[in-house]
Amino acid sequence: MKRRDFLKWTAASSMGLALPVSLATLGRMAEAAQGPDLVVAKGASTPQVVRAALDAAGGMRRFIAKGDVVVLKPNIGWDRTPQYAATTNPDVVGALAKLCFEAGAKKVRVFDNTVSDARRCYKQSGIADAAAAAGAEMVYMDSRKYRDVRLNGTVLKSWPLYNDIFEADKVINIPIAKTHSLTTLTLAMKNWMGVMGGVRFRVHQRIDESLVDLCRVIKPTLTVLDAVRILTANGPTGGDLDDVKRLDTIVVGTDQVAIDSFGATLFGMKGSDLNTVKLAARAGLGVMDLSKLSIKRISV
Amino acid sequence: MVTRTRRIVQGLFLALFLFLFIQTESKGLDELGYPVKLFLDFDPLIFLTTLLASRAVEGLFWLSLIIVALTVILGRFFCGWVCPLGTLNNMVGSLRKKRAKPPGPGWFRLKYYILVFILASSVFGAQLAGIADPISLTIRSFSLAIYPALSYAATSFFDGIYRLNLPVVTPASEILYDVLKKTVLPFQQPWFLQGVFIGALFLVVLGLNLVQRRFWCRFLCPLGALLGLLSRYAVLRREVSEECDSCGACVAPCQADAVPAGKEKWRASECLVCNNCDDVCPKNAVSFGFLKGHPTGGLDLGRRNVLSSFLLGAFAVPLLRISPLSRPRMADAKLIRPPGALGEPKFLQTCVRCGECMKVCITGGLQPTLLEAGLEGIWTPVMVPRIGFCEFRCTLCGQVCPTGAIKRLPLEEKQEVRLGHAAIDKGRCLPYAHATPCIVCEETCPTPKKAIWIEEVTVRDREGNTVRLQQPNVDLTKCIGCGACEKHCPVADQPAIYVTSAGESRSEENQLLLQAPAVAPFPHK
């Protein structure tokens, strides 16, 4: 079902014109309403942790419908192997792709506009192999598919963004938690730089506002923060294993501001230490105050 | 008959050549999986001149001795049956219907004088063979001009149809485009300085076939000349029986200047063993076989001409070296050589300008020089970071270099090799000159401990507002001059951070620091 169709459908049913809503749908809606805002799952086996985290969040079926075309957007920006924590853990991407297919997804596409050479990034990160093993399609960015998107933001009025994320039925953001000199950390919101075309490094001049502007139009169905390994210094490129800390943690939620706010705590900071999070919360894009969220912690 | 067999063999070798050429591209791993420089490995001219010029045998390809041995037995079969440029010349030559008369009886000797010139200059330490060696020439022309142009044409064509967004046609063309991208087209459009120049020269070489078929092979090719010398006493020879009535039917089909009608004057050195004369003979009087004795047709190069060519080649070396760049302690700031490149003099003596490194360079940053390294260094690789930087975990250029001009280094060593150092232009850098945040250079710096470090400062803007800023600095003990910062610097046109060759590991003199940081011990000279 396309998002637009879904909106029409809900509008129609809420006006009381439609047929009685089926019991199953009601049950699912109730469950969704009751699901936790964030799930924080911890454990040694990454694929199992991802699966358990999604189960705790209400199951992948809560997010993915049968026949959906799903985009997975990991951070594959650099030519590094997984142990350096500069790119999203391939096991997380693989496990999510599998869960999407189990939930009935028709197609799962994986891509990122990389900084290092895309062939190397895809291969060396292990994500190309993990995606292939799960039956997902690894896509190299096609320069013809960036479209100017109106953002009407405080800084960015419009910007060329990768069209596939708007054409997909569902989008899952899969950032990895790393340090970054300008934004202090790079988490979920920063990961959307990976669908920007144009001279994207120019947004560094006002990066926090720019990222908030991006998140005004990019609304992922789900965000899965990879903190299996986090990069604590020399980010976002890394390269030194001494800077890598193993947390074996996965954070799942639908509110990317909340995810980023929680992500800050993994580095001993607060969400309010991150300008992007503060501005995004102020713009009403999500919740920064973790005390206002229901956070479910599980161990696998 | 033999002609058909030969054409099939030629086609197969050309196909192999093109296949290896297309495989000279990364697929994301740090190995290519195919012996992409195979044709260069088998090239005796490259072998001999590199040996003479650099006086080093390391990284040399003894495989070429197989061609030498086979040529001594079989004659110039390489030219007639194997050489990809020879085959291309055949193909273009077939566009000309009538065979033209040779421009002059002695023109075939020209290539021997070219060979003598090249060998003389290599004896005195200059490597010029690569400019005219057919394998080098073909790979270079394909890599830097022909293939990029074909790629551009294909991409423009498919993009045009994509933009038209026609029903049926556009989806079909996209499927075809996808197949081509996965098979023969490059991963990304290659862009090369001098593509036009190098491409035009190659088209001239091919176009000369319209003046005279196999013009290049007959009159100019130095490898052909070397193989010609080797095949003067080839065991596989042509024999003409008593049946021959000198009808002259074999004169026109001869691909070179072997004078087949001359019987006694047949030149073994010019024969490409194409067997055309055998196939065409109405009396079936011609045959090729392993024979005793010597062929009688000589070369008559002329002692004076050979000596003149030699002296010219010898004098070319000092003439090329009087450029100020050859002076001690002179280094061109922008002459940034690939990682593992030998010290400049040695590099020039070893590089055969085949273009393999530029073809394989994953970012497209390796470009051919024109005069940056002097005329002697024409078409050698130089990194232009604004076009493409040196990918930190890539060692492909060293892997494909046929002569060891770029040493093949293990990844750990390559990552310590300095190509130069980065410098910041504070007049253009946003945090320095315009009180504007940036730090892209620091972000993209790939060394494990970043060579670019940030200093937090508080400055005032024009209105007197206090602005907290991060200003980048370069740590010369960490910077390897890879150019990632220069490539990604968002300051348009002239970047605010740029790499120069000062600090390059391969030079003792071109250093900034009193104590240059140590690198893994490997011989740069």
Side-chain angles (χ1 to χ4, degrees):
Chain A
M1 188 186 282
K2 285 258 163 68
R3 202 174 304 160
R4 193 178 302 156
D5 299 334
F6 178 78
L7 288 175
K8 274 188 209 154
W9 182 84
T10 26
S13 52
S14 63
M15 282 163 75
L17 298 172
L19 299 163
V21 181
S22 81
L23 278 176
T25 316
L26 264 182
R28 213 178 298 155
M29 285 167 71
E31 191 186 279
Q34 285 162 10
D37 294 314
L38 292 180
V39 174
V40 181
K42 216 174 160 169
S45 162
T46 304
Q48 282 177 29
V49 176
V50 173
R51 189 171 280 269
L54 259 296
D55 283 345
M60 193 57 116
R61 273 174 228 279
R62 184 185 151 195
F63 308 102
I64 305 294
K66 208 165 179 301
D68 274 351
V69 173
V70 183
V71 161
L72 303 184
K73 167 59 181 79
N75 185 334
I76 335 176
W78 310 99
D79 171 22
R80 294 277 192 232
T81 47
Q83 67 268 31
Y84 287 97
T87 47
T88 300
N89 191 302
D91 293 341
V92 176
V93 181
L96 283 170
K98 234 178 253 170
L99 287 171
C100 287
F101 282 122
E102 283 171 20
K106 186 171 73 184
K107 255 188 188 162
V108 177
R109 293 209 168 102
V110 186
F111 54 74
D112 188 15
N113 185 5
T114 61
V115 183
S116 306
D117 178 80
R119 290 162 289 182
R120 290 196 62 102
C121 292
Y122 280 19
K123 196 80 193 162
Q124 302 287 329
S125 66
I127 290 175
D129 291 339
E137 193 188 341
M138 200 77 195
V139 187
Y140 289 121
M141 306 303 254
D142 181 341
S143 59
R144 304 172 303 183
K145 290 190 177 165
Y146 291 92
R147 304 244 191 288
D148 281 324
V149 176
R150 283 169 59 82
L151 303 171
N152 283 331
T154 48
V155 173
L156 304 182
K157 297 304 164 197
S158 86
W159 200 272
L161 301 179
Y162 205 63
N163 199 43
D164 279 15
I165 60 155
F166 299 107
E167 278 190 348
D169 298 309
K170 304 287 161 60
V171 175
I172 302 181
N173 189 12
I174 324 176
I176 179 170
K178 302 187 282 182
T179 60
H180 187 281
S181 292
L182 201 55
T183 53
T184 313
L185 295 176
T186 156
L187 300 160
M189 286 194 276
K190 174 83 171 57
N191 198 31
W192 291 120
M193 280 199 73
V195 298
M196 294 180 91
V199 190
R200 54 180 169 159
F201 285 129
R202 209 178 281 155
V203 305
H204 282 54
Q205 294 173 28
R206 292 184 70 181
I207 192 133
D208 298 311
E209 293 98 324
S210 298
L211 293 178
V212 170
D213 289 347
L214 272 186
C215 293
R216 290 175 205 275
V217 295
I218 306 175
K219 310 247 181 225
T221 319
L222 185 67
T223 300
V224 179
L225 177 67
D226 163 26
V228 176
R229 300 182 186 90
I230 64 170
L231 183 59
T232 60
N234 288 304
T237 50
D240 189 342
L241 291 177
D242 288 343
D243 297 334
V244 177
K245 199 166 143 194
R246 196 161 180 130
L247 297 182
D248 284 324
T249 300
I250 294 289
V251 188
V252 174
T254 53
D255 176 348
Q256 37 186 357
V257 181
I259 292 258
D260 282 5
S261 184
F262 184 87
T265 64
L266 300 172
F267 294 82
M269 288 182 259
K270 296 193 300 290
S272 55
D273 294 333
L274 306 178
N275 265 333
T276 320
V277 172
K278 267 196 293 195
L279 290 174
R282 207 176 297 158
L285 297 175
V287 180
M288 178 175 76
D289 186 352
L290 295 178
S291 66
K292 289 186 180 148
L293 298 171
S294 65
I295 301 175
K296 187 169 179 180
R297 292 174 184 272
I298 55 172
S299 273
V300 183
Chain B
M1 296 158 306
V2 182
T3 304
R4 187 184 295 163
T5 315
R6 173 173 54 77
R7 284 192 182 142
I8 292 170
V9 172
Q10 280 185 293
L12 289 174
F13 274 111
L14 182 62
L16 175 67
F17 177 83
L18 294 175
F19 174 77
L20 292 175
F21 172 80
I22 286 166
Q23 297 308 320
T24 314
E25 182 179 85
S26 167
K27 286 168 201 71
L29 295 173
D30 201 31
E31 51 270 347
L32 296 171
Y34 294 96
V36 295
K37 58 187 172 73
L38 196 66
F39 278 80
L40 289 158
D41 287 340
F42 273 99
D43 186 331
L45 178 64
I46 298 228
F47 176 88
L48 180 62
T49 50
T50 309
L51 188 69
L52 289 173
S54 73
R55 289 153 189 107
V57 287
E58 203 186 342
L60 279 184
F61 13 88
W62 302 98
L63 289 173
S64 65
L65 296 181
I66 295 172
I67 296 291
V68 170
L70 286 175
T71 304
V72 169
I73 299 166
L74 302 173
R76 280 172 70 182
F77 77 100
F78 181 85
C79 306
W81 292 64
V82 180
C83 179
L85 182 57
T87 305
L88 289 172
N89 281 332
N90 267 163
M91 288 161 72
V92 178
S94 67
L95 293 176
R96 189 193 161 95
K97 228 174 181 175
K98 272 192 177 167
R99 278 164 200 268
K101 282 209 165 137
W107 275 52
F108 73 92
R109 297 193 184 101
L110 187 53
K111 62 178 176 292
Y112 293 95
Y113 305 137
I114 293 175
L115 174 70
V116 171
F117 176 92
I118 288 172
L119 290 179
S121 60
S122 60
V123 165
F124 292 96
Q127 171 54 287
L128 303 176
I131 294 168
D133 175 85
I135 306 296
S136 245
L137 171 82
T138 310
I139 296 178
R140 177 177 67 238
S141 307
F142 268 67
S143 299
L144 309 186
I146 307 297
Y147 188 56
L150 290 174
S151 157
Y152 189 91
T155 306
S156 310
F157 174 76
F158 287 109
D159 279 358
I161 295 183
Y162 177 83
R163 272 196 298 274
L164 287 175
N165 203 10
L166 303 166
V168 189
V169 178
T170 296
S173 89
E174 282 301 289
I175 291 169
L176 177 62
Y177 189 29
D178 204 44
V179 170
L180 290 177
K181 274 201 280 196
K182 281 179 181 146
T183 50
V184 292
L185 287 176
F187 177 74
Q188 57 209 355
Q189 173 65 40
W191 310 97
F192 285 107
L193 299 167
Q194 296 184 64
V196 187
F197 179 32
I198 287 167
L201 279 177
F202 191 68
L203 292 180
V204 167
V205 168
L206 292 183
L208 285 172
N209 287 292
L210 302 177
V211 178
Q212 181 88 57
R213 289 189 185 185
R214 276 190 178 254
F215 189 102
W216 169 267
C217 314
R218 296 172 65 169
F219 308 137
L220 301 175
C221 182
L223 176 61
L226 180 64
L227 297 176
L229 291 180
L230 290 169
S231 55
R232 273 201 69 183
Y233 306 108
V235 189
L236 180 73
R237 281 210 311 278
R238 180 174 177 272
E239 193 182 25
V240 182
S241 74
E242 298 294 312
E243 301 283 308
C244 173
D245 58 3
S246 302
C247 70
C250 53
V251 176
C254 178
Q255 292 196 34
D257 300 77
V259 207
K263 285 192 209 173
E264 301 300 301
K265 284 185 180 164
W266 175 73
R267 294 192 194 106
S269 63
E270 301 309 298
C271 176
L272 307 185
V273 215
C274 71
N275 279 68
N276 279 356
C277 53
D278 183 0
D279 283 354
V280 84
C281 181
K283 300 273 181 189
N284 210 7
V286 177
S287 61
F288 279 81
F290 294 103
L291 302 172
K292 283 181 190 159
H294 296 310
T296 42
L299 274 171
D300 306 323
L301 293 179
R303 231 175 276 167
R304 278 160 207 274
N305 288 343
V306 172
L307 188 64
S308 307
S309 312
F310 186 88
L311 291 176
L312 210 57
F315 189 66
V317 181
L319 196 59
L320 288 168
R321 296 268 168 86
I322 51 175
S323 146
L325 283 171
S326 306
R327 282 173 64 193
R329 285 181 297 284
M330 283 293 280
D332 187 292
K334 285 287 148 195
L335 193 63
I336 304 162
R337 293 297 193 185
L342 303 172
E344 189 62 12
K346 204 81 186 163
F347 182 77
L348 290 182
Q349 288 168 350
T350 320
C351 171
V352 292
R353 301 108 214 259
C354 61
E356 288 268 1
C357 55
M358 303 177 225
K359 168 80 175 75
V360 87
C361 179
I362 198 162
T363 63
L366 285 184
Q367 295 283 327
T369 55
L370 184 60
L371 297 171
E372 297 92 317
L375 186 59
E376 186 185 352
I378 190 168
W379 299 330
T380 51
V382 60
M383 186 181 76
V384 184
R386 210 50 169 166
I387 300 175
F389 59 101
C390 183
E391 189 73 70
F392 189 59
R393 298 181 60 240
C394 175
T395 67
L396 288 176
C397 56
Q399 292 181 37
V400 300
C401 180
T403 59
I406 308 171
K407 284 194 77 81
R408 183 180 187 150
L409 299 176
L411 182 60
E412 299 72 35
E413 270 182 49
K414 181 264 171 182
Q415 289 177 334
E416 307 229 317
V417 172
R418 300 184 308 273
L419 311 187
H421 282 316
I424 293 169
D425 182 345
K426 293 187 179 178
R428 293 179 70 78
C429 178
L430 299 174
Y432 283 107
H434 306 289
T436 301
C438 185
I439 69 101
V440 172
C441 53
E442 187 259 7
E443 175 175 359
T444 57
C445 178
T447 54
K449 186 168 173 62
K450 284 179 183 289
I452 298 176
W453 58 278
I454 296 288
E455 191 181 6
E456 299 257 359
V457 295
T458 307
V459 298
R460 282 183 194 283
D461 64 12
R462 189 174 182 174
E463 280 72 41
N465 303 316
T466 310
V467 185
R468 291 281 296 160
L469 273 178
Q470 296 168 315
Q471 290 178 336
N473 295 271
V474 179
D475 180 348
L476 293 184
T477 65
K478 294 277 180 290
C479 178
I480 53 169
C482 72
C485 51
E486 178 174 347
K487 167 70 184 158
H488 294 114
C489 176
V491 176
D493 61 57
Q494 194 174 303
I497 186 163
Y498 57 92
V499 177
T500 70
S501 66
E504 55 182 347
S505 300
R506 67 194 190 110
S507 165
E508 262 170 38
E509 289 160 341
N510 190 21
Q511 298 297 331
L512 291 173
L513 299 178
L514 173 62
Q515 287 170 311
V519 284
F522 71 91
H524 287 285
K525 284 186 267 175

